[in-house]
């Protein structure tokens, strides 16, 4: 799948991301909030600039040259995304606004079409709010039941209990691939197989996995896979919904409007084919096109190189953070991505976040849009450092020193 043209060298890689050179509060930026959004390489920024300076036109409608060029560039991004995910058909790739938008699309369209009173949707205790609330809304509308699979104290799914919760009433299992708060990597392939045995479809929230690992939707046999490009070194405002062709074809549209129709009369409208059926209105053209630049950038490296580097960072950061007295890591699953959440006795996460920011270090604090998960651990929030492949061990040293200093000021 990957075309490897460049050997992974973190110092060289960092030069591709202009923002990493800037200072924050008089200190070199140490950006450790990649779980919220990742930084963009110059090639993505150039793609956006090029679109607005050279290509700007609406797509799928104009006969003029600019419109045709923009349409080709947009559709090329879709083709490349198909390859990136190893999907079978290009029309299985739907452009959305992001993960949240993709989940709402499926909840609304699949939910309206398939759910009836007494049916069940299964999620897990570690879901992001955007993989909880849309299901609550559609379950309430349809009289269906939302069930929640539990986790253990390490932050791993209790698989036996999860499998017991999948019944013949379960219409869909909606599950996060990698937890944004705990870093836990869930065995989604196995879960999908079990769900399919019982006739349930599966949506995978890939918001945190797409930036860190190879996603092969056919190998996983996922029915739906959603993520946001802004976490995959691409632009904001564009996301991907992969759905199996036969399922997407069977579903009603999410929104009505231009581009999603074949014919319209006041009596009856017929809908366009995939993928346009799910892409009403003028899409986010510039960002859709820049998605290709992000994939081109990422595909210079092998996933093994990225994974090895990130695992070194995870191991090093875990070891160093554990030397801080009173610090407790939340989420110690055996299979983890490069995300570390922690609490420190007697210190409020928010205060710590504000102080380390003064030292140039960007981390996230709070509940990370996983309030039920915070409740499960009996805490209000954590400090979270989430690493990308452009981060370094030196930056982890800066983080650890900043935390020590902040802690001494606060206690
Ligand atoms: N699902 C997961 C697992 C996420 O981590 C996020 C965003 C979303 C869904 C929603 O993605 P969006 O692009 O539609 O907003 N997570 C985070 C985070 O951890 N910090 O800020 C956003």
């Amino acid at each position: 799948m990957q075309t490897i043209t460049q050997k992974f060298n973190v110092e060289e890689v960092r030069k591709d991301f202009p923002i990493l050179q800037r200072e924050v509060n008089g200190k070199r930026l140490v950006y450790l909030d990649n779980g919220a959004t990742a930084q963009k390489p110059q090639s993505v920024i150039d793609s956006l600039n090029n679109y607005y300076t050279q290509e700007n036109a609406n797509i799928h409608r104009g006969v003029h040259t600019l419109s045709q060029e923009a349409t080709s560039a947009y559709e090329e991004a879709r083709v490349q995304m198909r390859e990136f995910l190893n999907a079978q058909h290009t029309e299985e790739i739907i452009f959305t606004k992001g993960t949240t938008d993709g989940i709402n699309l499926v909840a609304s369209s699949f939910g309206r079409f398939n759910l009836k009173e007494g049916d069940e949707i299964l999620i897990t205790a570690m879901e992001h709010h955007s993989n909880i609330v849309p299901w609550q809304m559609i379950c309430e509308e349809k009289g269906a039941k939302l069930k929640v699979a539990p986790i253990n104290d390490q932050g791993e799914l209790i698989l036996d209990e999860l499998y017991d919760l999948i019944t013949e009433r379960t219409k869909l299992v909606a599950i996060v691939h990698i937890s944004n708060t705990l870093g836990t990597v869930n065995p989604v392939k196995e879960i999908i197989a079990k769900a399919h045995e019982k006739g349930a479809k599966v949506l995978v929230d890939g918001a945190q996995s797409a930036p860190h690992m190879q996603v092969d939707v056919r190998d996983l046999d996922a029915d739906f896979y959603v993520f946001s490009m802004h976490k995959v070194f691409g632009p904001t405002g564009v996301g991907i919904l992969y759905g199996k062709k036969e399922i997407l074809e069977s579903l009603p549209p999410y929104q009505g409007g231009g581009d999603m129709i074949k014919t319209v009369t006041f009596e009856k409208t017929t809908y366009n084919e995939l993928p346009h059926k799910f892409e009403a209105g003028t899409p986010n053209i510039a960002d859709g096109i820049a998605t290709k630049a992000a994939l081109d950038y990422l595909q210079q490296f092998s996933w093994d190189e990225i994974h090895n580097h990130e695992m070194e960072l995870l191991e090093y950061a875990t070891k160093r953070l554990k030397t801080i007295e009173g610090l407790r890591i939340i989420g110690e699953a055996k299979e983890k991505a490069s995300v570390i959440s922690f609490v420190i006795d007697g210190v409020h996460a928010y205060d710590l976040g504000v102080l380390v920011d003064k030292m140039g270090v960007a981390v996230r604090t709070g509940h990370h849009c996983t309030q039920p998960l915070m409740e499960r651990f009996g805490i209000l929030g954590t400090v979270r450092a989430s690493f990308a492949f452009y981060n370094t061990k030196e930056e982890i040293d800066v983080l650890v020193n900043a935390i020590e200093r902040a802690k001494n000021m606060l206690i």
Side-chain angles (χ1 to χ4, degrees), residues 344-410:
I344 298 180
D345 291 341
V347 174
H348 197 290
Y350 175 84
D351 296 338
L352 196 82
V354 169
L355 283 178
V356 299
D357 176 62
K358 297 273 176 275
M359 302 176 225
V361 181
V363 289
R364 175 133 191 229
T365 62
H367 55 62
H368 316 295
C369 299
T370 53
Q371 276 183 352
L373 181 63
M374 296 294 101
E375 206 178 312
R376 162 67 180 77
F377 281 95
I379 53 179
L380 288 172
T382 74
V383 178
R384 181 189 69 181
S386 49
F387 307 106
F389 60 77
Y390 45 61
N391 288 124
T392 64
K393 286 186 181 168
E394 291 72 37
E395 290 182 305
I396 292 168
D397 292 337
V398 176
L399 167 74
V400 172
N401 291 338
I403 294 170
E404 290 277 19
R405 278 184 63 194
K407 193 186 124 190
N408 289 337
M409 289 180 219
L410 290 166

Side-chain angles (χ1 to χ4, degrees), residues 237-280:
V238 63
I240 301 298
L241 159 64
Y242 158 82
K244 279 185 187 159
K245 187 175 170 182
E246 64 275 17
I247 303 178
L248 291 177
E249 273 174 345
S250 73
L251 297 181
Y254 174 43
Q255 294 179 323
D259 235 22
M260 54 72 76
I261 56 91
K262 207 173 252 163
T263 59
V264 179
T265 67
F266 286 121
E267 288 70 40
K268 177 150 181 70
T269 290
T270 56
Y271 303 129
N272 206 341
E273 282 151 15
L274 291 175
H276 308 294
K277 183 170 88 174
F278 289 107
E279 294 181 359

Side-chain angles (χ1 to χ4, degrees), residues 33 35-37 97-101 103 127-128 130-131 176 178-181 205-208 227-228 230-231 364 368-369 384:
D33 194 18
T37 199
K97 285 189 290 184
T99 312
T100 305
D101 192 36
I103 297 171
E127 300 307 319
H128 187 279
S130 55
N131 203 27
V176 71
I178 295 180
S179 159
N180 64 317
T181 302
D205 173 353
Q208 299 293 338
F227 59 97
S228 306
H230 70 91
K231 297 188 204 278
R364 175 133 191 229
H368 316 295
C369 299
R384 181 189 69 181

Side-chain angles (χ1 to χ4, degrees), residues 4-279:
I4 307 158
T5 55
Q6 187 186 323
K7 186 100 189 79
F8 187 80
N9 172 333
V10 69
E11 288 310 325
E12 287 303 312
V13 166
R14 290 178 69 79
K15 291 182 191 155
D16 297 332
F17 293 80
I19 207 168
L20 298 181
Q21 319 307 322
R22 73 159 277 188
E23 291 192 347
V24 167
N25 296 320
K27 301 278 183 330
R28 171 63 73 88
L29 167 67
V30 173
Y31 186 77
L32 303 177
D33 194 18
N34 296 286
T37 199
Q39 300 302 347
K40 323 301 172 201
Q42 186 65 48
S43 55
V44 168
I45 300 164
D46 289 345
S47 169
L48 291 169
N49 192 13
N50 181 62
Y51 172 74
Y52 287 118
T53 52
Q54 298 296 326
E55 282 180 339
N56 179 45
N58 212 328
I59 58 170
H60 300 145
R61 57 196 83 190
V63 292
H64 60 77
T65 304
L66 286 190
S67 175
Q68 288 186 5
E69 283 180 10
T71 303
S72 301
Y74 192 77
E75 291 306 323
E76 271 171 35
R78 197 191 306 272
V79 169
Q80 189 149 340
M81 186 55 74
R82 181 195 72 71
E83 289 166 12
F84 183 71
L85 296 175
N86 194 29
Q88 193 170 0
H89 306 286
T90 305
E91 60 270 32
E92 294 178 318
I93 307 297
I94 312 292
F95 281 111
T96 64
K97 285 189 290 184
T99 312
T100 305
D101 192 36
I103 297 171
N104 275 279
L105 189 162
V106 176
S108 170
S109 176
F110 181 92
R112 265 187 290 144
F113 185 67
N114 283 308
L115 282 186
K116 52 183 190 322
E117 203 169 326
D119 282 344
E120 293 169 3
I121 301 276
L122 178 63
I123 60 171
T124 81
M126 65 171 87
E127 300 307 319
H128 187 279
H129 294 166
S130 55
N131 203 27
I132 302 173
V133 185
W135 304 115
Q136 280 175 330
M137 288 161 69
I138 194 72
C139 282
E140 198 173 326
E141 192 181 314
K142 290 287 182 175
K145 199 167 170 202
L146 188 65
K147 288 188 158 180
V148 184
I151 59 173
N152 63 23
D153 292 341
Q154 282 70 49
E156 296 164 321
L157 289 169
I158 304 171
L159 288 173
D160 290 347
E161 295 194 30
L162 186 150
Y163 296 146
D164 284 346
L165 286 167
I166 308 175
T167 70
E168 63 286 352
R169 292 183 157 198
T170 312
K171 285 283 154 38
L172 189 116
V173 178
I175 183 174
V176 71
H177 198 166
I178 295 180
S179 159
N180 64 317
T181 302
L182 305 170
T184 309
V185 183
N186 288 319
V188 289
K189 186 174 173 178
E190 189 183 321
I191 295 168
I192 289 169
K194 292 274 187 201
H196 285 171
E197 275 172 25
K198 299 207 182 151
K201 304 285 185 234
V202 182
L203 174 140
V204 181
D205 173 353
Q208 299 293 338
S209 40
H212 295 290
M213 63 195 284
Q214 177 148 31
V215 173
D216 181 332
V217 290
R218 263 192 284 177
D219 179 56
L220 292 176
D221 201 20
D223 299 298
F224 304 103
Y225 201 98
V226 290
F227 59 97
S228 306
M229 278 312 295
H230 70 91
K231 297 188 204 278
V232 195
F233 316 99
T236 52
V238 63
I240 301 298
L241 159 64
Y242 158 82
K244 279 185 187 159
K245 187 175 170 182
E246 64 275 17
I247 303 178
L248 291 177
E249 273 174 345
S250 73
L251 297 181
Y254 174 43
Q255 294 179 323
D259 235 22
M260 54 72 76
I261 56 91
K262 207 173 252 163
T263 59
V264 179
T265 67
F266 286 121
E267 288 70 40
K268 177 150 181 70
T269 290
T270 56
Y271 303 129
N272 206 341
E273 282 151 15
L274 291 175
H276 308 294
K277 183 170 88 174
F278 289 107
E279 294 181 359

